[in-house]
Amino acid sequence: MYVFTYLYIVWFFHLVLLTWIRDLQIYIWPPEQLVVNRNGYKLRYYDQTADKADKSRTTIPMQGGFVFREWVHLQGHLQICCGGCDRLAELEQLFAQINYFGKRGCFFQYLPEYKQETSEPLFQANLITGFTAQPMDDLGEKATFNRINPFSTDKAQLDKDRVIKPGFLPLQLVATSARYDIYQRY
């Protein structure tokens, strides 16, 4: 009985919380400047298949490979702006739990001293001054927790559970090369 009750509470929590967050309007206000570095690396890594096939081998076989990585350096504060909400205390607790965006190699820290509550948005998209179009990965209208949970066997379907929408960031490309791009916020 206790296990069933616990699982029911967890399921209900995820269902209610996901529905609330899924329907919340969220906007990104980029920092004053950001730099995207593009790098290629030659790696040496263990060939695990050869290692498992021959256990009597005294040396571990190494294999060469090439990987491409992009690194983004943010100069300033990235701001997450949400539409009207009557659950600000819960939202602040959730923001405090975010520690990365995108891949796990990045780092993000919530700074509560910079939190602002306003009756009107602090910024509006102004497409006349310019922008950078960026595809944004969003939740579909009927997305469920199991479909977006990375530990679930259910898979999210593109254009149903995950929807790619165009986002317009107030960024201007000020310098570029084969190895980097520098963007300045309008």
Side-chain angles (χ1 to χ4, degrees):
M1 169 138 181
Y2 293 112
V3 173
F4 175 75
T5 305
Y6 173 75
L7 291 176
Y8 179 74
I9 290 170
V10 169
W11 172 81
F12 182 75
F13 174 75
H14 288 301
L15 178 67
V16 171
L17 196 60
L18 177 70
T19 303
W20 168 59
I21 291 173
R22 180 189 67 202
D23 299 336
L24 191 62
Q25 288 183 325
I26 299 176
Y27 301 97
I28 302 295
W29 185 246
E32 294 81 23
Q33 190 174 33
L34 59 93
V35 178
V36 179
N37 285 318
R38 290 181 288 278
N39 296 306
Y41 301 99
K42 184 163 175 77
L43 291 181
R44 305 265 309 153
Y45 56 93
Y46 295 110
D47 183 357
Q48 295 178 359
T49 56
D51 188 33
K52 290 178 183 176
D54 186 7
K55 295 289 183 186
S56 63
R57 184 180 287 213
T58 57
T59 61
I60 299 175
M62 296 290 281
Q63 190 169 345
F66 187 79
V67 295
F68 179 75
R69 297 286 185 262
E70 284 188 339
W71 307 92
V72 180
H73 171 73
L74 306 177
Q75 182 178 332
H77 296 261
L78 173 74
Q79 296 179 35
I80 303 172
C81 308
C82 298
C85 174
D86 58 348
R87 300 167 76 172
L88 291 175
E90 290 175 76
L91 193 57
E92 185 173 2
Q93 288 177 341
L94 291 172
F95 280 151
Q97 295 178 31
I98 297 172
N99 56 15
Y100 69 88
F101 288 108
K103 304 293 183 189
R104 285 184 216 148
C106 82
F107 174 71
F108 177 83
Q109 182 178 12
Y110 173 67
L111 302 172
E113 62 270 15
Y114 290 101
K115 178 184 86 168
Q116 297 178 10
E117 294 177 26
T118 62
S119 58
E120 294 294 321
L122 292 178
F123 64 88
Q124 296 288 331
N126 186 354
L127 302 181
I128 294 172
T129 58
F131 60 88
T132 297
Q134 173 66 43
M136 301 287 195
D137 197 348
D138 201 357
L139 297 174
E141 292 179 9
K142 297 181 181 178
T144 63
F145 181 74
N146 280 342
R147 291 279 173 103
I148 62 165
N149 180 2
F151 301 106
S152 172
T153 56
D154 294 350
K155 298 295 180 198
Q157 295 179 5
L158 194 60
D159 295 329
K160 289 185 179 182
D161 302 306
R162 291 181 53 215
V163 180
I164 308 299
K165 296 180 179 179
F168 302 105
L169 299 174
L171 293 172
Q172 178 184 16
L173 182 64
V174 293
T176 187
S177 79
R179 299 265 181 185
Y180 68 87
D181 294 325
I182 299 176
Y183 293 92
Q184 187 77 34
R185 184 176 70 200
Y186 284 106

